[in-house]
Amino acid sequence: MALSVETQISGDVFILHCEGRIVYGDECAVLRERVVSILTGSPKIVVNLAGVDHIDSEGLGMLVGHLVSARNRGGELKLVSPSKRVNDVLRRTNLDRILSVYGTEEEAVAAFRTQVA
């Protein structure tokens, strides 16, 4: 299933709703292009993974790379609602210790507010 990405804005936080697979090839390219274009405007990004059923090493590497890019700009990249399968991959690779994972978009957006305070 090809990856589709829809963008929503909450204040100065961009929320990306992903559906499909984040894997090597066109799927990663779609998400990469979207995040790169957003980073020029705001380094605060939430990636909702509720609709993602699979992520491979390319997808994981891309998320970590975007996290670094966001942090270099004074922001952060947060993940929301990964499926059990994606959450298992994050846990097995210990990326759940590097990437912040939240249960809801509201929690992730609120976390940006508390970072400022």
Side-chain angles (χ1 to χ4, degrees):
M1 174 183 204
L3 181 68
S4 68
V5 181
E6 292 185 21
T7 306
Q8 176 184 345
I9 301 171
S10 176
D12 61 346
V13 178
F14 281 81
I15 302 169
L16 302 177
H17 295 267
C18 299
E19 194 162 323
R21 301 165 10 131
I22 303 176
V23 295
Y24 177 78
D26 291 341
E27 288 86 353
C28 271
V30 167
L31 186 56
R32 182 179 302 112
E33 289 171 12
R34 186 71 58 98
V35 172
V36 168
S37 69
I38 288 171
L39 280 173
T40 61
S42 173
K44 297 176 182 177
I45 300 172
V46 171
V47 180
N48 188 322
L49 299 173
V52 174
D53 56 13
H54 184 74
I55 188 166
D56 68 3
S57 59
E58 177 78 10
L60 293 172
M62 182 192 53
L63 289 175
V64 172
H66 290 320
L67 170 66
V68 171
S69 295
R71 285 182 176 171
N72 287 341
R73 290 173 171 82
E76 189 77 20
L77 182 135
K78 300 177 185 300
L79 304 179
V80 172
S81 301
S83 67
K84 180 180 177 347
R85 185 176 191 176
V86 172
N87 200 42
D88 288 345
V89 171
L90 291 170
R91 199 169 50 253
R92 281 195 315 264
T93 57
N94 289 320
L95 289 177
D96 61 337
R97 296 179 183 178
I98 296 168
L99 295 159
S100 300
V101 180
Y102 295 85
T104 67
E105 289 178 11
E106 292 77 18
E107 291 172 355
V109 170
F112 281 113
R113 309 289 182 253
T114 60
Q115 286 177 332
V116 175

